[in-house]
Amino acid sequence: MTYLAASTVSLIAAIVILRVWRADMTIPFAYLGDATNIAGYFKSILETGWYETQPLLAAPFGQNYDDYKTADNLHMLLAIPLTQFLGSHGTAMNVYFLAGFSLAAASAVWFFRVLRLPHLLAGSLAVLFALAPYHFARN
């Protein structure tokens, strides 16, 4: 129950803080720093099925990300069903970003429970962790 409560509260708070009801969900929330790269990855996944090649960029041969380092492919694997289901790279990016608040809260609850903190304190600290300014600043 603590996991669900912390995840839900953090997601609702993020939606309110970001004023998602005013946003056009097909347009990514950010075009700064790494967000432009991620937008290219998500768009490539939507159009080609994977992020490493994009024939519509870098004329005349197309863009190739084979030598460009990324942390792992898990995020890209999660982007495949999101982009296919939602049909827009911007919407998929925004949903993925918002889901991060819930996942951060759930992970923090797990950690605080491992430390044997009470459920209420663990849930409260998890929400604070998920809503830390760093999460908003990095998009």
Side-chain angles (χ1 to χ4, degrees), residues 7 10-11 14-16 18 20 25 29 91-104 135-136:
S7 295
S10 64
L11 178 61
I15 288 171
V16 169
L18 292 169
V20 171
M25 287 298 283
F29 289 147
T91 306
M93 280 181 62
N94 292 338
V95 167
Y96 191 76
F97 175 64
L98 289 172
F101 289 96
S102 292
L103 295 172
H135 198 159
F136 292 97

Side-chain angles (χ1 to χ4, degrees), residues 28 30-45 51 65 68 70 75-76 79 83 89-90 92-94 96-97 138-139:
Y31 276 117
L32 303 168
D34 292 342
T36 53
N37 247 3
I38 301 303
Y41 292 160
F42 272 64
K43 190 162 176 65
S44 294
I45 288 170
Y51 76 97
Y65 284 113
Y68 191 78
T70 57
H75 301 288
M76 303 309 163
T83 55
H89 77 284
M93 280 181 62
N94 292 338
Y96 191 76
F97 175 64
R138 293 294 297 175
N139 275 341

Side-chain angles (χ1 to χ4, degrees), residues 1 8-9 12 29 31 40 51 60 70 76 86-87 89 91 95 105 115-116 118-119 121 123 125 127 129 135:
M1 184 68 181
T8 304
V9 168
I12 290 170
F29 289 147
Y31 276 117
Y51 76 97
T70 57
M76 303 309 163
L86 297 172
H89 77 284
T91 306
V95 167
L115 295 177
R116 301 199 187 278
H119 287 279
L121 182 58
L125 290 174
V127 170
F129 172 75
H135 198 159

Side-chain angles (χ1 to χ4, degrees), residues 33 36 45 67 72 74 84 101 104 109-110 114 124 126 131 136 138:
T36 53
I45 288 170
D67 294 330
D72 55 44
L74 176 63
Q84 299 302 317
F101 289 96
V109 167
W110 173 82
V114 167
S124 301
L131 297 174
F136 292 97
R138 293 294 297 175

